[in-house]
Every structure is written in structure tokens, then in C-alpha cells.
Amino acid sequence: MGKRENVWLAVAGIVVAEDGKWLVVKKRYGGLKGKWSFPAGFVEANETVDEAVVREVYEETGVKVEVEGLIGVRSGVIKESISDNMLLFLCTPQNLNVMSQKEELFDAAFKSLEELENDPDSSLLIHYCAKLPNLSLLKETKALNPGRIFNYSSYKLFF
């Protein structure tokens, strides 16, 4: 695979319903096993990052979402050898009937910020985001594709 195999790109959806509740999942594996966290997963080769978050949220929870914009980036290095990067998107749910993906998740639900802040099983990232006074957005622009020279089949900018 080459030198980029140790550069990971993932996405997470902060899905906020009209009543202010957030969509969270409880994973069966990894560092967040048993913790409430945002629906998340890796970007696939044939998709843009916003397409990836729509797919991941739907696969994990059955909730279809509309991406409002990019609100944050989490970047870290694991054991001095893997660049682990995650883009966090603010999303609006198009439906509220949650169906947890049983293979990967213990549970998935819409929960109030108060419930999440008082739950010892909420992830650090949820606690951090819940305390932000507002979530600032980088919105997708209707930018022009820079041309055939780069061979993009899909191209998006967030500003």
C-alpha cells in the first residue's frame, strides 16, 4: 500500500434533532467500547468526507442525515506511527427512528445534553462538545471543480 497506509481518515456525525437531543452510539469494540460516542467510521476510497459521514451515520443507526457543515477536526498520532484523523460534521436528522447496528453497537439513541453530561459512559469528546457555547460551521461551497488535470470525479470545499 505504501507510505500513506498509516494515515487514517475518519468522520463523525454530531446529529442534533429539533428538540436538541444528540444521536449517540455505544460501540462494542475499540477504545470507546461501552461508551456513548458519536456515530463514526472511516472514509472509503470512492467518497467525499461528507458522503462518508452520511453513510456511516445511516449504517450505524438507520438515521438519514443532511450535513450542515464541518465543525471540527481531531488529529492524533498513535504509538508514534499512525496519523489518526477525524472530521466532525454537524448533521440534521431526516428521521428519528433509530435502529442500532447490532454487530458493532450495544445501543444507539437520541439523548439530551443533560443525560449525556450526567452519564459516566459518555466519551470525553461528547463532554467537550456539550460544553461549547455554539458549534461553528464551515459550510460546503459550490466551488468549481479545478479541472481535468487532477481527474476529480467529485470535488468539494468547506469554508
Side-chain angles (χ1 to χ4, degrees):
M1 178 122 176
K3 66 180 180 178
R4 300 225 197 285
E5 65 192 16
N6 288 339
V7 178
W8 296 351
L9 182 58
V11 291
I14 300 178
V15 181
V16 182
E18 261 185 50
D19 63 4
K21 290 185 178 181
W22 288 12
L23 180 62
V24 289
V25 299
K26 204 174 258 196
K27 294 204 184 322
R28 291 185 178 270
Y29 62 91
L32 291 171
K33 181 178 181 177
K35 295 271 188 197
W36 290 113
S37 60
F38 299 120
F42 289 104
V43 179
E44 293 180 357
N46 65 342
E47 61 191 358
T48 58
V49 291
D50 57 312
E51 291 167 347
V53 78
V54 169
R55 175 185 52 76
E56 279 293 344
V57 170
Y58 183 73
E59 283 178 3
E60 290 190 1
T61 68
V63 175
K64 292 184 177 172
V65 297
E66 185 174 319
V67 173
E68 301 300 331
L70 181 67
I71 60 172
V73 176
R74 193 258 303 130
S75 186
V77 177
I78 300 170
K79 296 180 182 174
E80 298 178 15
S81 64
I82 298 169
S83 178
D84 180 20
N85 304 283
M86 178 178 280
L87 304 177
L88 293 102
F89 287 91
L90 181 63
C91 302
T92 302
Q94 305 302 297
N95 63 296
L96 300 176
N97 44 325
V98 179
M99 296 181 310
S100 170
Q101 184 189 64
K102 297 298 179 201
E103 303 82 52
E104 288 188 21
L105 305 176
F106 289 120
D107 200 4
F110 279 97
K111 292 190 165 282
S112 70
L113 290 186
E114 188 179 1
E115 283 178 281
L116 291 168
E117 286 179 303
N118 293 325
D119 191 328
D121 287 341
S122 292
S123 71
L124 289 174
L125 189 57
I126 284 177
H127 282 291
Y128 179 81
C129 291
K131 287 177 178 58
L132 292 173
N134 61 340
L135 300 174
S136 58
L137 277 184
L138 296 178
K139 289 189 171 273
E140 180 185 339
T141 65
K142 299 299 176 201
L144 298 175
N145 189 313
R148 280 186 288 233
I149 191 168
F150 296 106
N151 294 313
Y152 286 115
S153 52
S154 185
Y155 184 86
K156 304 204 176 156
L157 280 176
F158 292 85
F159 275 98

